[in-house]
Amino acid sequence: MTAVACNNLEFGRTRFDFSACGCSSNASFDRFSVRNYAKGTVGNVNRSHKARKLFCFRPEIGPPRMFSTKTPEALLPGVTDTPPVLDLKKESRSPASLTNLFEGVAEDLLTLNKNLQSIVGAENPVLMSAAEQIFGAGGKRMRPALVFLVSRATKEIVGLKELTKEHRRLAEIIEMIHTASLIHDDVLDESDMRRGKETVHQLYGTRVAVLAGDFMFAQSSWYLANLENLEVIKLISQVIKDFASGEIKQASSLFDCDLQLEEYLIKCYYKTASLIAASTKGAAIFSRVDSYVSEQIYQYGKNFGLSFQVVDDILDFTQSAEQLGKPAGSDLAKGNLTAPVIFALEKEARLRDIIESEFCDTGSLDEAVGIVKSCGGIQRAQELAREKANLAVQNLQCLPPSSFRFALEELVKYNLERIK
C-alpha cells in the first residue's frame, strides 16, 4: 500500500503555511526545492506508473479505498488510462475548447450568470452599472466552472444526488471575488480595456472603480459568512488577504534582477493559485468528503493555478499584441519579472543591464524580449508549467473516474496547449 501524501511546497527559506488554508498540519509532506529549476533541472515525476489501480490509504479512516484510474469506455469513448505525466509533444490530440470541457456544467454556469448581477445588489446605481460592465463583458468563468466540476466529481463519493445550495453560492462568491480583483488590477495596471470593453475605471474614474471593487469584496464576504461554514470562511477570507500580499510583493520587486524563482512562485500563488485552490477545496468541503480528498483537491487547485499563471507569463512573450490585447512584453516593460525573464537572466548578463536601466534607451525593450526568447527562458518556463500540471493531474487520482474528473484533467492539458 502507498500512502498518498498531501504535497507542501518549500521555497528555500520560505514555506507556504497551508494550515491557514485547512491543509492538515500532521500530514506527511513531499518536499522539493524549486531551486532545482534555477539549475536547469526539472523535478522528476514518477513516469513508470502503469498500474490500473490506485490505493488511497489513511489508517484513521479504515480500509483503503481503491479507484480504477481507467476511464469507463461508456463515459469516455476512445480514451484509455489518463497518464500521470503530461507530454503534449508525444500526444496526438485535437485542440480542446472550454465550451466542450464545461459542457457537463453548462446549466450550472447559465444559472450562475443569471444570479451574478442580482446578488451584487442594486442599492447604488453606479456600483450596479460598474458590476454590469464587467460581468457583461463575459469571460471564461473558469473559477466557478471549477467549483461545479469539483462539486459534481466529489458528490458521487458520498452519495449526493444533486448539488447543494452551498455549492452554487460558493461559485457565485468566487466569481465576485475574482471580478473585484480584476477591477482593482485594472486600476493598478492603468489598463484601459478588459475583454474588449472599456474598464470600470476608464468609464467611471479611479475613485468609483476602487469603491466598486471594495463593495464587491464586502458583498462576497457577507454572502460567505451566511454559508455558516467556518472552514470555508477561513479558506476564502485568506484569499482576499493573499491578493493584497501578492500586489505588495510585486510592487516591491519591480526591476529587481535578483528576484529568485521561489519568490516569483509565491507571488503567483498569492495572485492566482490561492483563489483557484480555495475554489476547488471549498467545493469538496461542501460535498462533505473526508479531509484527505479535500486536501488533494486543494493541491490540484494550487498546482493548476501555478501552471496557469506561468503559462500566462509565457504568452506575454510569445503572443502577438493583437492576441494579448496589449503590447508583447508589457509585464517586463513595467518591471514585473516573470519566469521566462528569471531563467534568461541566468544566461545573459546583458539582460540585467537593460532591465536595471528601466528601458531608458530606444529599442531596449525589444532587445530584452529578444534575449528572453533566444537564450532558453521560454523553454525552461514551459518545463516549469508542465511540472506543475503533472502534479495537478496526480492530485486528481483519488477521485473515482467520471466525466467530471476527466474534464478537470483535460482543463490542465488545455492550459498547456496554449503554449504548445
Side-chain angles (χ1 to χ4, degrees), residues 4-9 15-31 58 60 230-232 234-236 238 269 277-278 281-282 285 290-303 395:
V4 183
C6 173
N7 291 328
N8 188 18
L9 296 184
R15 188 195 307 170
F16 285 145
D17 178 9
F18 286 124
S19 61
C21 302
C23 186
S24 175
S25 60
N26 62 357
S28 56
F29 296 117
D30 293 332
R31 306 177 192 277
R58 291 202 309 160
E60 67 271 25
L230 186 58
E231 186 177 8
V232 175
K234 288 181 176 179
L235 186 70
I236 306 301
Q238 180 67 36
Y269 173 79
K281 183 173 182 178
I285 290 171
D290 65 64
S291 60
Y292 167 73
V293 174
S294 66
E295 286 166 6
Q296 286 297 303
I297 293 300
Y298 178 87
Q299 295 297 320
Y300 164 81
K302 178 195 69 181
N303 287 313
N395 292 137

Side-chain angles (χ1 to χ4, degrees), residues 65-78:
R65 291 166 298 141
M66 184 170 63
F67 297 136
S68 170
T69 58
K70 184 174 182 179
T71 306
E73 292 181 3
L75 279 175
L76 308 169

Side-chain angles (χ1 to χ4, degrees), residues 264 268 308-317 331 336 338-340:
Y264 160 76
C268 290
F308 185 89
Q309 185 59 56
V310 174
V311 167
D312 260 6
D313 292 339
I314 292 169
L315 293 177
D316 191 52
F317 289 94
D331 283 340
N336 180 22
T338 57

